[in-house]
PDB file of all heavy atoms in Angstrom:
ATOM      1  N   ALA Y   1      86.121  14.914  68.473  1.00 43.00           N
ATOM      2  CA  ALA Y   1      85.583  14.470  67.263  1.00 43.00           C
ATOM      3  C   ALA Y   1      86.074  15.192  66.141  1.00 43.00           C
ATOM      4  O   ALA Y   1      85.863  16.389  65.954  1.00 43.00           O
ATOM      5  CB  ALA Y   1      84.003  14.489  67.364  1.00 43.00           C
ATOM      6  N   SER Y   2      86.907  14.633  65.222  1.00 45.00           N
ATOM      7  CA  SER Y   2      87.367  15.341  64.086  1.00 45.00           C
ATOM      8  C   SER Y   2      86.433  15.197  62.868  1.00 45.00           C
ATOM      9  O   SER Y   2      85.478  14.521  62.907  1.00 45.00           O
ATOM     10  CB  SER Y   2      88.787  14.739  63.650  1.00 45.00           C
ATOM     11  OG  SER Y   2      88.663  13.387  63.362  1.00 45.00           O
ATOM     12  N   THR Y   3      86.746  15.956  61.768  1.00 48.00           N
ATOM     13  CA  THR Y   3      85.910  15.929  60.603  1.00 48.00           C
ATOM     14  C   THR Y   3      85.947  14.571  60.006  1.00 48.00           C
ATOM     15  O   THR Y   3      84.893  13.957  59.527  1.00 48.00           O
ATOM     16  CB  THR Y   3      86.357  16.985  59.630  1.00 48.00           C
ATOM     17  OG1 THR Y   3      86.377  18.228  60.235  1.00 48.00           O
ATOM     18  CG2 THR Y   3      85.454  17.072  58.508  1.00 48.00           C
ATOM     19  N   SER Y   4      87.137  14.023  59.861  1.00 48.00           N
ATOM     20  CA  SER Y   4      87.227  12.666  59.305  1.00 48.00           C
ATOM     21  C   SER Y   4      86.523  11.632  60.066  1.00 48.00           C
ATOM     22  O   SER Y   4      85.959  10.669  59.441  1.00 48.00           O
ATOM     23  CB  SER Y   4      88.646  12.287  59.092  1.00 48.00           C
ATOM     24  OG  SER Y   4      89.391  12.291  60.343  1.00 48.00           O
ATOM     25  N   ALA Y   5      86.557  11.784  61.353  1.00 43.00           N
ATOM     26  CA  ALA Y   5      85.852  10.747  62.181  1.00 43.00           C
ATOM     27  C   ALA Y   5      84.385  10.843  61.960  1.00 43.00           C
ATOM     28  O   ALA Y   5      83.564   9.860  62.113  1.00 43.00           O
ATOM     29  CB  ALA Y   5      86.252  10.929  63.717  1.00 43.00           C
ATOM     30  N   SER Y   6      83.854  12.154  61.793  1.00 44.00           N
ATOM     31  CA  SER Y   6      82.328  12.239  61.637  1.00 44.00           C
ATOM     32  C   SER Y   6      81.920  11.691  60.264  1.00 44.00           C
ATOM     33  O   SER Y   6      80.816  11.252  60.193  1.00 44.00           O
ATOM     34  CB  SER Y   6      82.034  13.749  61.721  1.00 44.00           C
ATOM     35  OG  SER Y   6      82.663  14.499  60.722  1.00 44.00           O
ATOM     36  N   ASN Y   7      82.799  11.762  59.271  1.00 51.00           N
ATOM     37  CA  ASN Y   7      82.417  11.212  57.885  1.00 51.00           C
ATOM     38  C   ASN Y   7      82.583   9.723  57.812  1.00 51.00           C
ATOM     39  O   ASN Y   7      82.087   9.046  56.892  1.00 51.00           O
ATOM     40  CB  ASN Y   7      83.281  11.954  56.827  1.00 51.00           C
ATOM     41  CG  ASN Y   7      82.977  13.404  56.774  1.00 51.00           C
ATOM     42  OD1 ASN Y   7      81.863  13.823  57.027  1.00 51.00           O
ATOM     43  ND2 ASN Y   7      83.904  14.192  56.348  1.00 51.00           N
ATOM     44  N   ASP Y   8      83.440   9.136  58.701  1.00 51.00           N
ATOM     45  CA  ASP Y   8      83.703   7.729  58.642  1.00 51.00           C
ATOM     46  C   ASP Y   8      82.377   6.941  59.167  1.00 51.00           C
ATOM     47  O   ASP Y   8      81.837   7.347  60.244  1.00 51.00           O
ATOM     48  CB  ASP Y   8      84.876   7.313  59.470  1.00 51.00           C
ATOM     49  CG  ASP Y   8      85.249   5.959  59.340  1.00 51.00           C
ATOM     50  OD1 ASP Y   8      84.670   5.256  58.499  1.00 51.00           O
ATOM     51  OD2 ASP Y   8      86.348   5.543  59.924  1.00 51.00           O
ATOM     52  N   SER Y   9      81.951   6.088  58.311  1.00 50.00           N
ATOM     53  CA  SER Y   9      80.832   5.213  58.728  1.00 50.00           C
ATOM     54  C   SER Y   9      81.032   4.342  59.900  1.00 50.00           C
ATOM     55  O   SER Y   9      80.207   4.068  60.689  1.00 50.00           O
ATOM     56  CB  SER Y   9      80.308   4.387  57.544  1.00 50.00           C
ATOM     57  OG  SER Y   9      81.379   3.511  57.165  1.00 50.00           O
ATOM     58  N   SER Y  10      82.345   3.944  60.058  1.00 50.00           N
ATOM     59  CA  SER Y  10      82.750   3.099  61.179  1.00 50.00           C
ATOM     60  C   SER Y  10      82.657   3.783  62.543  1.00 50.00           C
ATOM     61  O   SER Y  10      82.485   3.232  63.640  1.00 50.00           O
ATOM     62  CB  SER Y  10      84.062   2.505  61.075  1.00 50.00           C
ATOM     63  OG  SER Y  10      85.064   3.474  61.031  1.00 50.00           O
ATOM     64  N   SER Y  11      82.742   5.176  62.588  1.00 54.00           N
ATOM     65  CA  SER Y  11      82.641   5.958  63.776  1.00 54.00           C
ATOM     66  C   SER Y  11      81.315   6.721  64.025  1.00 54.00           C
ATOM     67  O   SER Y  11      81.256   7.693  64.544  1.00 54.00           O
ATOM     68  CB  SER Y  11      83.831   6.966  63.839  1.00 54.00           C
ATOM     69  OG  SER Y  11      83.678   7.894  62.665  1.00 54.00           O
ATOM     70  N   SER Y  12      80.306   6.074  63.455  1.00 57.00           N
ATOM     71  CA  SER Y  12      78.953   6.736  63.584  1.00 57.00           C
ATOM     72  C   SER Y  12      78.576   6.677  65.051  1.00 57.00           C
ATOM     73  O   SER Y  12      77.871   7.635  65.582  1.00 57.00           O
ATOM     74  CB  SER Y  12      77.890   5.949  62.723  1.00 57.00           C
ATOM     75  OG  SER Y  12      77.896   4.524  63.191  1.00 57.00           O
ATOM     76  N   SER Y  13      78.902   5.639  65.829  1.00 55.00           N
ATOM     77  CA  SER Y  13      78.532   5.544  67.219  1.00 55.00           C
ATOM     78  C   SER Y  13      79.200   6.644  68.064  1.00 55.00           C
ATOM     79  O   SER Y  13      78.682   7.230  68.939  1.00 55.00           O
ATOM     80  CB  SER Y  13      78.871   4.174  67.796  1.00 55.00           C
ATOM     81  OG  SER Y  13      80.266   3.942  67.573  1.00 55.00           O
ATOM     82  N   SER Y  14      80.575   6.949  67.601  1.00 57.00           N
ATOM     83  CA  SER Y  14      81.226   8.042  68.236  1.00 57.00           C
ATOM     84  C   SER Y  14      80.613   9.410  67.999  1.00 57.00           C
ATOM     85  O   SER Y  14      80.626  10.218  68.815  1.00 57.00           O
ATOM     86  CB  SER Y  14      82.765   7.948  67.914  1.00 57.00           C
ATOM     87  OG  SER Y  14      83.369   9.100  68.429  1.00 57.00           O
ATOM     88  N   HIS Y  15      80.177   9.513  66.699  1.00 59.00           N
ATOM     89  CA  HIS Y  15      79.514  10.809  66.333  1.00 59.00           C
ATOM     90  C   HIS Y  15      78.233  11.026  67.171  1.00 59.00           C
ATOM     91  O   HIS Y  15      78.018  12.155  67.643  1.00 59.00           O
ATOM     92  CB  HIS Y  15      79.180  10.798  64.847  1.00 59.00           C
ATOM     93  CG  HIS Y  15      78.364  11.918  64.370  1.00 59.00           C
ATOM     94  ND1 HIS Y  15      78.856  13.189  64.249  1.00 59.00           N
ATOM     95  CD2 HIS Y  15      77.061  11.985  64.073  1.00 59.00           C
ATOM     96  CE1 HIS Y  15      77.880  14.083  63.870  1.00 59.00           C
ATOM     97  NE2 HIS Y  15      76.813  13.320  63.717  1.00 59.00           N
ATOM     98  N   ASP Y  16      77.537   9.938  67.460  1.00 59.00           N
ATOM     99  CA  ASP Y  16      76.237  10.064  68.217  1.00 59.00           C
ATOM    100  C   ASP Y  16      76.653  10.493  69.714  1.00 59.00           C
ATOM    101  O   ASP Y  16      75.909  11.115  70.359  1.00 59.00           O
ATOM    102  CB  ASP Y  16      75.469   8.755  68.239  1.00 59.00           C
ATOM    103  CG  ASP Y  16      74.961   8.523  66.782  1.00 59.00           C
ATOM    104  OD1 ASP Y  16      74.784   9.544  66.049  1.00 59.00           O
ATOM    105  OD2 ASP Y  16      74.708   7.349  66.470  1.00 59.00           O
ATOM    106  N   ALA Y  17      77.732   9.949  70.135  1.00 55.00           N
ATOM    107  CA  ALA Y  17      78.228  10.121  71.551  1.00 55.00           C
ATOM    108  C   ALA Y  17      78.536  11.625  71.811  1.00 55.00           C
ATOM    109  O   ALA Y  17      78.190  12.274  72.762  1.00 55.00           O
ATOM    110  CB  ALA Y  17      79.332   9.258  71.883  1.00 55.00           C
ATOM    111  N   PHE Y  18      79.258  12.196  70.807  1.00 62.00           N
ATOM    112  CA  PHE Y  18      79.637  13.641  70.919  1.00 62.00           C
ATOM    113  C   PHE Y  18      78.702  14.622  70.480  1.00 62.00           C
ATOM    114  O   PHE Y  18      78.842  15.805  70.451  1.00 62.00           O
ATOM    115  CB  PHE Y  18      80.988  13.831  70.291  1.00 62.00           C
ATOM    116  CG  PHE Y  18      82.125  13.066  70.924  1.00 62.00           C
ATOM    117  CD1 PHE Y  18      82.675  11.972  70.443  1.00 62.00           C
ATOM    118  CD2 PHE Y  18      82.724  13.641  72.084  1.00 62.00           C
ATOM    119  CE1 PHE Y  18      83.683  11.287  71.050  1.00 62.00           C
ATOM    120  CE2 PHE Y  18      83.752  13.049  72.609  1.00 62.00           C
ATOM    121  CZ  PHE Y  18      84.320  11.764  72.151  1.00 62.00           C
ATOM    122  N   ALA Y  19      77.488  14.077  69.930  1.00 62.00           N
ATOM    123  CA  ALA Y  19      76.500  15.025  69.445  1.00 62.00           C
ATOM    124  C   ALA Y  19      75.885  15.649  70.611  1.00 62.00           C
ATOM    125  O   ALA Y  19      75.303  16.810  70.468  1.00 62.00           O
ATOM    126  CB  ALA Y  19      75.419  14.201  68.628  1.00 62.00           C
ATOM    127  N   VAL Y  20      75.940  15.116  71.812  1.00 58.00           N
ATOM    128  CA  VAL Y  20      75.341  15.733  72.968  1.00 58.00           C
ATOM    129  C   VAL Y  20      76.062  16.980  73.310  1.00 58.00           C
ATOM    130  O   VAL Y  20      75.519  17.935  73.929  1.00 58.00           O
ATOM    131  CB  VAL Y  20      75.310  14.734  74.181  1.00 58.00           C
ATOM    132  CG1 VAL Y  20      74.687  15.353  75.356  1.00 58.00           C
ATOM    133  CG2 VAL Y  20      74.626  13.543  73.763  1.00 58.00           C
ATOM    134  N   LEU Y  21      77.314  17.049  72.981  1.00 62.00           N
ATOM    135  CA  LEU Y  21      78.181  18.190  73.385  1.00 62.00           C
ATOM    136  C   LEU Y  21      77.829  19.456  72.610  1.00 62.00           C
ATOM    137  O   LEU Y  21      78.175  20.584  73.034  1.00 62.00           O
ATOM    138  CB  LEU Y  21      79.630  17.917  73.272  1.00 62.00           C
ATOM    139  CG  LEU Y  21      80.067  16.677  74.055  1.00 62.00           C
ATOM    140  CD1 LEU Y  21      81.535  16.461  73.767  1.00 62.00           C
ATOM    141  CD2 LEU Y  21      79.880  16.825  75.481  1.00 62.00           C
ATOM    142  N   ARG Y  22      77.172  19.289  71.476  1.00 64.00           N
ATOM    143  CA  ARG Y  22      76.879  20.532  70.627  1.00 64.00           C
ATOM    144  C   ARG Y  22      75.794  21.311  71.275  1.00 64.00           C
ATOM    145  O   ARG Y  22      75.565  22.556  70.977  1.00 64.00           O
ATOM    146  CB  ARG Y  22      76.316  20.003  69.228  1.00 64.00           C
ATOM    147  CG  ARG Y  22      77.397  19.209  68.442  1.00 64.00           C
ATOM    148  CD  ARG Y  22      77.050  19.186  67.009  1.00 64.00           C
ATOM    149  NE  ARG Y  22      77.987  18.333  66.305  1.00 64.00           N
ATOM    150  CZ  ARG Y  22      77.799  17.099  65.994  1.00 64.00           C
ATOM    151  NH1 ARG Y  22      76.734  16.418  66.357  1.00 64.00           N
ATOM    152  NH2 ARG Y  22      78.744  16.458  65.257  1.00 64.00           N
ATOM    153  N   GLU Y  23      75.048  20.767  72.234  1.00 62.00           N
ATOM    154  CA  GLU Y  23      73.992  21.553  72.866  1.00 62.00           C
ATOM    155  C   GLU Y  23      74.470  22.476  73.898  1.00 62.00           C
ATOM    156  O   GLU Y  23      73.769  23.338  74.370  1.00 62.00           O
ATOM    157  CB  GLU Y  23      72.962  20.559  73.549  1.00 62.00           C
ATOM    158  CG  GLU Y  23      72.334  19.638  72.539  1.00 62.00           C
ATOM    159  CD  GLU Y  23      71.332  18.677  73.246  1.00 62.00           C
ATOM    160  OE1 GLU Y  23      71.226  18.868  74.500  1.00 62.00           O
ATOM    161  OE2 GLU Y  23      70.640  17.941  72.550  1.00 62.00           O
ATOM    162  N   LEU Y  24      75.768  22.317  74.340  1.00 62.00           N
ATOM    163  CA  LEU Y  24      76.396  23.279  75.276  1.00 62.00           C
ATOM    164  C   LEU Y  24      76.626  24.636  74.637  1.00 62.00           C
ATOM    165  O   LEU Y  24      76.894  24.844  73.454  1.00 62.00           O
ATOM    166  CB  LEU Y  24      77.788  22.662  75.736  1.00 62.00           C
ATOM    167  CG  LEU Y  24      77.589  21.248  76.386  1.00 62.00           C
ATOM    168  CD1 LEU Y  24      79.033  20.866  76.865  1.00 62.00           C
ATOM    169  CD2 LEU Y  24      76.806  21.355  77.638  1.00 62.00           C
ATOM    170  N   GLU Y  25      76.422  25.616  75.449  1.00 61.00           N
ATOM    171  CA  GLU Y  25      76.621  27.016  74.924  1.00 61.00           C
ATOM    172  C   GLU Y  25      78.071  27.271  74.765  1.00 61.00           C
ATOM    173  O   GLU Y  25      79.007  26.982  75.651  1.00 61.00           O
ATOM    174  CB  GLU Y  25      76.043  27.975  76.044  1.00 61.00           C
ATOM    175  CG  GLU Y  25      74.564  27.842  76.176  1.00 61.00           C
ATOM    176  CD  GLU Y  25      74.128  28.952  77.068  1.00 61.00           C
ATOM    177  OE1 GLU Y  25      74.817  29.760  77.553  1.00 61.00           O
ATOM    178  OE2 GLU Y  25      72.791  28.813  77.396  1.00 61.00           O
ATOM    179  N   SER Y  26      78.467  27.818  73.633  1.00 66.00           N
ATOM    180  CA  SER Y  26      79.835  28.221  73.313  1.00 66.00           C
ATOM    181  C   SER Y  26      80.244  29.507  73.847  1.00 66.00           C
ATOM    182  O   SER Y  26      81.395  29.852  74.005  1.00 66.00           O
ATOM    183  CB  SER Y  26      80.060  28.162  71.819  1.00 66.00           C
ATOM    184  OG  SER Y  26      79.221  29.010  71.167  1.00 66.00           O
ATOM    185  N   ASP Y  27      79.240  30.372  74.029  1.00 65.00           N
ATOM    186  CA  ASP Y  27      79.528  31.771  74.499  1.00 65.00           C
ATOM    187  C   ASP Y  27      79.688  31.761  76.108  1.00 65.00           C
ATOM    188  O   ASP Y  27      79.118  30.993  76.793  1.00 65.00           O
ATOM    189  CB  ASP Y  27      78.488  32.793  74.116  1.00 65.00           C
ATOM    190  CG  ASP Y  27      78.439  32.828  72.627  1.00 65.00           C
ATOM    191  OD1 ASP Y  27      79.438  32.547  72.032  1.00 65.00           O
ATOM    192  OD2 ASP Y  27      77.364  33.173  72.042  1.00 65.00           O
ATOM    193  N   SER Y  28      80.438  32.756  76.685  1.00 64.00           N
ATOM    194  CA  SER Y  28      80.630  32.798  78.077  1.00 64.00           C
ATOM    195  C   SER Y  28      79.513  33.611  78.677  1.00 64.00           C
ATOM    196  O   SER Y  28      78.799  34.355  78.089  1.00 64.00           O
ATOM    197  CB  SER Y  28      81.888  33.623  78.337  1.00 64.00           C
ATOM    198  OG  SER Y  28      82.006  33.865  79.720  1.00 64.00           O
TER     199      SER Y  28
END
């Protein structure tokens, strides 16, 4: 998910799909 794709209104469904990944822990 790139920045432009998140700002694009046409890719709102894709933004919702990858929002689940933000809950994953980034630290080891």
Side-chain angles (χ1 to χ4, degrees):
S2 60
T3 306
S4 60
S6 62
N7 296 331
D8 192 359
S9 60
S10 62
S11 60
S12 59
S13 59
S14 176
H15 173 72
D16 295 338
F18 291 101
V20 183
L21 304 178
R22 297 195 184 99
E23 298 180 2
L24 301 178
E25 296 183 4
S26 59
D27 297 336
S28 173

